[in-house]
Amino acid sequence: MFLSNIRIVLVRPTHPGNVGATARAMKNMSLNHLYLVAPEDFPSTDATDRAVGADDVLENAVICASLDEALKDCHLVIGTSARQRRIEWPSLDPESSAHRLVDGAQLGPVALLFGQERTGLLNAELDRCHFVATIPADRNYSSLNLACAVQILAYEIHRAGLSGSSATLVDSVEGDRPASDEDMQRFYRHLEEALQQIGFLDPANPRRLMRRLMRLFNRVVLDRNEMNILRGILTAVQQHREKFDKNDQE
Ligand code: SAH
């Protein structure tokens, strides 16, 4: 079992009661790694009261200032959202999400993200996700309480863990380790810079194109070797462009 590689990440939670109830929901389902990104009110007695016996999960919670910090070494990130988006992220139901996470956890840390009670996950936060999981619910009232949403996904992860999920992901990645979120963010910055240099990306409006490209790369689990090849291509394009610019000035 690789459940210890699965981290539950609450992004900017506002109510400490929800943080406590999340810890309890996790511990019931054998999940222990809670990450809190910029929590509004933590530690708090409200959180401890609601954790009822899962205080250890709260005590060991990792507090991060930014999402970068929480996802740094993760090679698979699944976000959760009740809402349909304009540019859709590839979406999964809770059961398939759980299987992906359990499979992915065999290779290293993976993350399941939950949004803030009021706003949910922002688009920039969803850009970090390979998939978005939605719990099917009433069409006109689909937003669950944060800790209730955690409970449903945690239950599915527990079930997927017990059913001994397939090792498809392990088989598909030959040799090299999958690229981490930190590697991918570095790659996206490089890609954005190179696309601007060759005049393909409008610096005044970079988000739309970058979002589409991120979705494209998120669909493929790149390993580190493949990512290095792509970065090598970008560097070669940049050097070619610099030479071209220099010749042009002479
Ligand atoms: N007003 C927000 C709701 C946030 S609810 C919005 O419209 O997005 C807080 C968090 O609980 C969400 O960010 C998500 O992580 C989780 N959540 C709530 N309902 C969900 C659902 N039906 N499916 C998946 N996640 C859900």
Side-chain angles (χ1 to χ4, degrees):
M1 287 267 268
F2 299 90
L3 294 191
S4 60
N5 266 338
I6 300 181
R7 58 182 73 154
I8 300 294
V9 182
L10 301 188
V11 184
R12 300 173 285 105
T14 47
H15 299 298
N18 277 335
V19 176
T22 290
R24 182 179 188 178
M26 287 171 60
K27 189 166 174 174
N28 282 145
M29 299 295 148
S30 316
L31 295 171
N32 300 303
H33 295 285
L34 175 61
Y35 281 61
L36 303 172
V37 177
E40 199 171 291
D41 182 7
F42 189 81
S44 130
T45 46
D46 276 357
T48 314
D49 288 349
R50 290 288 297 279
V52 209
D55 326 43
D56 53 329
V57 177
L58 284 185
E59 272 157 30
N60 294 325
V62 179
I63 316 290
C64 303
S66 68
L67 193 53
D68 282 343
E69 220 178 298
L71 299 183
K72 206 169 147 170
D73 49 347
C74 293
H75 66 90
L76 174 70
V77 181
I78 298 188
T80 53
S81 173
R83 275 192 290 170
Q84 295 292 320
R85 307 275 166 174
R86 195 156 45 95
I87 297 181
E88 293 233 330
W89 278 260
S91 67
L92 293 175
D93 63 21
E95 190 181 355
S96 328
S97 310
H99 280 277
R100 294 245 179 201
L101 290 166
V102 170
D103 283 349
Q106 297 175 54
L107 296 173
V110 297
L112 181 60
L113 306 190
F114 291 85
Q116 197 212 56
E117 293 89 337
R118 268 192 309 273
T119 61
L121 289 171
L122 308 176
N123 282 351
E125 291 159 352
L126 286 167
D127 282 343
R128 311 295 286 271
C129 301
H130 295 86
F131 300 97
V132 173
T134 298
I135 300 162
D138 188 281
R139 257 182 71 218
N140 302 313
Y141 192 62
S142 60
S143 177
L144 278 72
N145 162 267
L146 172 58
C148 294
V150 173
Q151 183 71 80
I152 288 172
L153 266 306
Y155 165 72
E156 291 292 352
I157 292 170
H158 190 250
R159 241 162 52 106
L162 289 181
S163 77
S165 219
S166 69
T168 44
L169 196 62
V170 177
D171 292 343
S172 70
V173 179
E174 290 165 10
D176 214 347
R177 282 192 294 136
S180 67
D181 179 76
E182 191 178 30
D183 296 331
M184 290 309 293
Q185 297 312 311
R186 218 178 285 134
F187 167 64
Y188 293 138
R189 282 194 293 275
H190 194 173
L191 181 62
E192 186 168 352
E193 186 187 282
L195 292 178
Q196 284 190 14
Q197 273 172 301
I198 60 170
F200 190 82
L201 179 74
D202 175 7
N205 189 17
R207 277 333 287 178
R208 271 187 87 80
L209 178 68
M210 287 312 295
R211 178 160 294 146
R212 284 186 186 277
L213 291 171
M214 284 188 231
R215 274 186 16 185
L216 165 68
F217 286 108
N218 276 345
R219 281 208 299 272
V220 192
V221 182
L222 291 184
D223 70 28
R224 302 219 305 190
N225 191 24
E226 290 159 342
M227 199 203 55
N228 284 336
I229 294 172
L230 289 173
R231 291 203 56 188
I233 295 173
L234 291 177
T235 304
V237 168
Q238 287 176 306
Q239 284 166 351
H240 192 75
R241 176 76 214 193
E242 278 158 19
K243 234 189 278 167
F244 176 83
D245 286 345
K246 220 158 108 202
N247 288 345
D248 212 30
Q249 284 162 12
E250 282 168 6

